Amino acid sequence: MRFTNCPILARAALGLAALLAATTAGAAADYAAGPLKIGHPWSRATPNGAQVAGGYLAVTNTGSEPDTLTGATIEEAGRAELHTMSMEGGVMKMAPVEGGLVIKPGETVTLKPGGYHLMFLDLKGPLKKGQSVKGTVTFAKAGTVPVDFTVEGIAAKAPASGAAEMDHGGMEHGGMGHGGHAH
């Protein structure tokens, strides 16, 4: 059977192509700033009234010089800080990272729940699952890079589109509540 002149199949093929394009358009994107590759910026949905949210991504330095992640922004927050989280004696400790986070040549640094992360403060409203939030990440050498943070579910541990690439390093995620903070 020949389908080359069949208008019904042609329309079906065009419809399928449009569906595939729309499906992949919402996937977490990758960005570049010189030798830095920024992968899968994402955040978690927040409940109404939340004042903070976490931001996560991976940065790979393909260059020969180190660079430093110094900051970030999203349109829906008044400010942002780079934080680290750790467990000490069964107690969760979270603190700002002073001076930024160095990404050495050939290394990938992953910001994820339970470790390094961006803390978006003074939220103007809740972040909703499926939303794309415009923002930036700033580096000492590469400068400020516009990115979109994909908002995942409130309990997400990795971006839906990048879950297979995320390495959780055997980290235990249970018991890492944030005292009512959603991030």
Side-chain angles (χ1 to χ4, degrees):
M1 226 173 156
R2 286 186 56 190
F3 298 109
T4 54
N5 293 327
C6 182
I8 294 172
L9 287 178
R11 273 184 262 147
L14 285 174
L16 180 59
L19 177 64
L20 287 172
T23 302
T24 57
D30 291 326
Y31 304 88
L36 301 180
K37 307 302 178 216
I38 304 158
H40 304 294
W42 68 285
S43 187
R44 288 178 173 158
T46 59
N48 289 335
Q51 293 296 302
V52 299
Y56 315 101
L57 50 85
V59 181
T60 300
N61 186 343
T62 64
S64 58
E65 298 289 323
D67 204 341
T68 304
L69 174 63
T70 59
T73 65
I74 60 170
E75 292 178 344
E76 284 75 4
R79 60 192 175 97
E81 296 176 354
L82 180 60
H83 279 209
T84 184
M85 185 185 310
S86 61
M87 293 295 287
E88 295 177 24
V91 177
M92 181 196 68
K93 303 257 183 187
M94 186 168 24
V97 175
E98 300 299 328
L101 183 60
V102 175
I103 300 101
K104 296 177 184 172
E107 289 190 352
T108 297
V109 174
T110 302
L111 281 61
K112 59 188 173 186
Y116 289 110
H117 59 278
L118 300 167
M119 180 72 77
F120 299 121
L121 304 152
D122 305 326
L123 290 180
K124 299 171 186 171
L127 302 182
K128 299 190 183 302
K129 182 178 178 179
Q131 178 181 12
S132 180
V133 181
K134 292 199 177 300
T136 64
V137 289
T138 303
F139 299 91
K141 293 179 183 174
T144 300
V145 183
V147 298
D148 291 323
F149 287 84
T150 300
V151 181
E152 302 291 349
I154 202 162
K157 294 181 180 172
S161 62
E165 289 117 21
M166 297 295 283
D167 176 15
H168 289 270
M171 204 173 239
E172 190 63 41
H173 292 287
M176 289 206 172
H178 291 80
H181 300 300
H183 74 91

